[in-house]
Amino acid sequence: MADEMGVFETMYNCRAMRRLKPDPVPEELLVKLIDAANQAPTGSNAQGARWIVVRDPEQRARLAALNKTAVEAYVAPGGQRAAALPHQSAGKRQRMLAAVLWQAEHMQDIPALVIACYRFGQPVRQGQAMGGGSIWPAVQNLLLAARAIGLGAAPTTLGLANRTAAREILGLPDDMEAFCLVPVGYPIGKFGPLTRMPVEETMRWDRWA
């Protein structure tokens, strides 16, 4: 499509968008996102990425409830959320928290919840991390594709923190693992440019010190 963004413009303007409208996303656009995600490389070209696009209101509500419970535990005093980061002002961190809490309150209204999974072909072992290298590039493809066509998205693992409940809701077979949940919809806010640490602070040649 002529109005789609170029790849570098997309990467430099691909903010995490958590506040999303309840307006339905056309099915053909959701299929387009998954097709783009499937173009990512996978180990041994196994192509084990699998996707569950949740649109049913009851299913969305069940996943939203899991996510809300996990978010509340994450942001509670003594939770895992860092109170401050050296490269992020208190105000910016507070705005990010507000967006996370907004999403937790409204996830059931977001039109599509995409679950990124990987199928191993054998029963998944407890705590199995293998497969991440084959699913996360696909998730990034999905995020970039969403941004290029004007959709907002941001991955979260909190909604899948209760692994047993998530597996039951999603009806996962014993050889498939869910890695993250990606709410997708039309953004309420503006994308805007990213604010990232300069490359001089994050890169070295040949060795770190």
Side-chain angles (χ1 to χ4, degrees), residues 52 115 117 166-178:
I52 303 173
I115 315 300
C117 305
R167 294 186 67 86
E168 190 278 325
I169 291 170
L170 296 168
L172 296 183
D174 64 3
D175 67 342
M176 189 183 297
E177 184 68 278

Side-chain angles (χ1 to χ4, degrees), residues 10 25 31 55 57 104 106 138 155-156 173 180:
T10 303
V25 176
V31 172
R55 297 183 296 175
H106 296 86
T156 178
C180 72

Side-chain angles (χ1 to χ4, degrees), residues 20-136:
L20 303 173
K21 298 176 182 178
D23 307 25
V25 176
E27 185 171 301
E28 60 268 23
L29 292 186
L30 295 170
V31 172
K32 187 181 183 74
L33 296 185
I34 302 307
D35 194 39
N38 283 338
Q39 306 313 305
T42 57
S44 300
N45 195 27
Q47 301 185 48
R50 298 292 184 268
W51 310 90
I52 303 173
V53 182
V54 180
R55 297 183 296 175
D56 177 75
E58 184 177 337
Q59 281 285 80
R60 284 186 283 142
R62 295 176 74 188
L63 290 170
L66 288 186
N67 181 72
K68 187 174 182 180
T69 298
V71 167
E72 289 173 346
Y74 180 68
V75 304
Q80 296 178 326
R81 182 178 184 272
L85 293 174
H87 62 274
Q88 193 174 57
S89 69
K92 185 169 288 188
R93 192 137 181 86
Q94 190 59 36
R95 289 193 295 275
M96 181 185 293
L97 174 60
V100 169
L101 293 174
W102 185 97
Q103 186 183 74
E105 291 293 334
H106 296 86
M107 184 174 282
Q108 66 276 2
D109 302 319
I110 293 172
L113 306 179
V114 179
I115 315 300
C117 305
Y118 192 83
R119 191 154 209 171
F120 292 92
Q122 58 187 8
V124 178
R125 300 189 304 274
Q126 181 70 25
Q128 186 167 6
M130 231 175 69
S134 292
I135 194 64
W136 289 113

